[in-house]
């Protein structure tokens, strides 16, 4: 489904905070726009436009689109260019269910290995997150949210499983969530509950809380895209 004529694109032309030097940064930026509905299925991505908007040369944009093509996020149409592939509600559910399953397993394993120093580290991150939410520092929220879960994932001592989660997380539009006031409040509450589960070494509660984090994320994104008229 293509974007209706006249529909505004609120963030497509917003420059990145700093000009990306690598193709993976451009790819991450485009993934975020696609998954958050800023670029719709059926819409063409023009290399020159993206390069100009991000302040980079065409080369990293071309490399980024090649990567996105390998991920089935865009297709290359001869003589026309790269077009965004279809994205269904079930696609979103599948992506988040996969992330939730892996992250839940990692959290459950972390509950069996966590020690007081790591609990203190997580509480410090949580307090910094709370401060970032109060000041609406979106960049810090994204960074600290990532760091909070990275500490937990490392405690699971499951390198390959963590790698799969990192790969799946590419499709999560972090900026969409970090700018959502309701999500931020819920995120802090879930973190508090997860810290309690980890402290009590309650593996199943740690798993359940983490899975809910992703199912809620799927619901929020699906509702957002539905309001945009994608489905």
């Amino acid at each position: 489904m293509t974007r209706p004529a006249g529909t505004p694109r609120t963030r497509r032309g917003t420059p990145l905070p700093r000009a990306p030097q690598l193709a993976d940064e451009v790819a991450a930026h485009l993934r975020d726009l696609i998954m958050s509905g800023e670029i719709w299925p059926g819409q063409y991505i023009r290399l020159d436009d993206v390069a100009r908007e991000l302040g980079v040369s065409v080369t990293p944009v071309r490399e980024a689109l090649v990567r996105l093509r390998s991920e089935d996020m865009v297709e290359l149409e001869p003589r026309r260019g790269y077009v965004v592939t279809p994205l269904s509600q079930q696609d979103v559910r599948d992506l988040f269910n996969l992330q939730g399953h892996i992250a839940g397993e990692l959290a459950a394993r972390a509950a069996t290995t966590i020690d007081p120093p790591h609990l203190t580290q997580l509480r410090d991150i949580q307090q910094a997150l709370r401060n970032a939410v109060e000041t609406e520092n979106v960049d810090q929220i994204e960074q600290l949210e990532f760091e909070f879960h990275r500490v937990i994932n490392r405690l699971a001592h499951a390198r390959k499983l963590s790698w799969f989660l990192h790969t799946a997380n590419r499709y999560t539009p972090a900026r969409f969530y970090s700018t959502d006031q309701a999500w931020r409040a819920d995120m802090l509450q879930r973190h508090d509950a997860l810290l309690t589960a980890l402290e009590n070494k309650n593996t199943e509660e740690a798993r359940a809380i983490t899975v809910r984090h992703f199912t809620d994320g799927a619901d929020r994104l699906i509702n957002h895209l539905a309001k945009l008229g994608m489905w």
Side-chain angles (χ1 to χ4, degrees):
M1 180 176 179
T2 57
R3 180 188 293 272
T7 303
R9 295 177 291 178
T10 56
R11 289 177 50 226
R12 174 105 185 253
T14 303
L16 294 178
R18 59 186 178 86
Q21 301 300 317
L22 300 173
D24 57 355
E25 295 184 63
V26 179
H29 179 71
L30 291 173
R31 279 193 209 96
D32 187 86
L33 295 181
I34 292 170
M35 292 302 300
S36 62
E38 300 298 333
I39 305 177
W40 276 36
Q43 187 172 344
Y44 286 89
I45 299 177
R46 306 300 180 188
L47 274 70
D48 290 340
D49 291 345
V50 175
R52 182 172 57 255
E53 290 163 2
L54 299 185
V56 299
S57 69
V58 170
T59 299
V61 178
R62 182 181 295 108
E63 293 174 356
L65 288 168
V66 169
R67 296 184 189 185
L68 295 183
R69 184 187 182 192
S70 71
E71 300 170 8
D72 192 40
M73 297 202 74
V74 299
E75 294 177 347
L76 178 60
E77 293 189 357
R79 296 180 297 280
R80 301 195 66 183
Y82 289 94
V83 61
V84 178
T85 57
L87 179 68
S88 69
Q89 294 188 38
Q90 190 60 55
D91 289 331
V92 176
R93 291 275 179 215
D94 290 343
L95 286 169
F96 280 78
N97 285 343
L98 174 62
Q99 294 176 60
H101 177 77
I102 300 174
E105 176 63 21
L106 291 171
R109 295 188 191 185
T112 68
T113 64
I114 196 164
D115 54 17
H118 283 107
L119 277 170
T120 298
Q121 181 184 9
L122 287 170
R123 290 193 182 102
D124 289 344
I125 296 173
Q126 175 72 342
Q127 183 56 53
L129 250 174
R130 203 178 302 277
N131 295 339
V133 168
E134 290 177 358
T135 59
E136 298 188 349
N137 190 324
V138 174
D139 290 334
Q140 279 196 347
I141 292 170
E142 289 184 24
Q143 177 186 351
L144 292 166
E145 161 76 350
F146 173 80
E147 182 63 25
F148 183 89
H149 291 284
R150 182 169 64 172
V151 171
I152 295 172
N153 295 342
R154 286 180 172 175
L155 287 169
H157 302 300
R159 289 176 59 90
K160 300 307 181 187
L161 206 56
S162 296
W163 181 85
F164 277 112
L165 178 60
H166 176 71
T167 301
N169 277 344
R170 293 177 180 176
Y171 307 100
T172 300
R175 188 54 54 109
F176 164 74
Y177 293 107
S178 59
T179 56
D180 185 320
Q181 185 175 10
W183 178 88
R184 295 193 300 242
D186 288 346
M187 175 267 295
L188 290 174
Q189 291 179 0
R190 281 192 296 268
H191 281 194
D192 287 337
L194 182 54
L195 283 168
T196 299
L198 292 171
E199 182 176 17
N200 295 334
K201 295 190 177 297
N202 188 330
T203 58
E204 291 311 308
E205 184 66 11
R207 185 196 307 275
I209 292 168
T210 303
V211 169
R212 285 198 297 271
H213 178 69
F214 287 93
T215 55
D216 173 74
D219 289 340
R220 290 178 187 275
L221 183 56
I222 287 172
N223 290 338
H224 167 72
L225 295 176
K227 288 178 181 178
L228 291 180
M230 185 174 289
W231 300 304

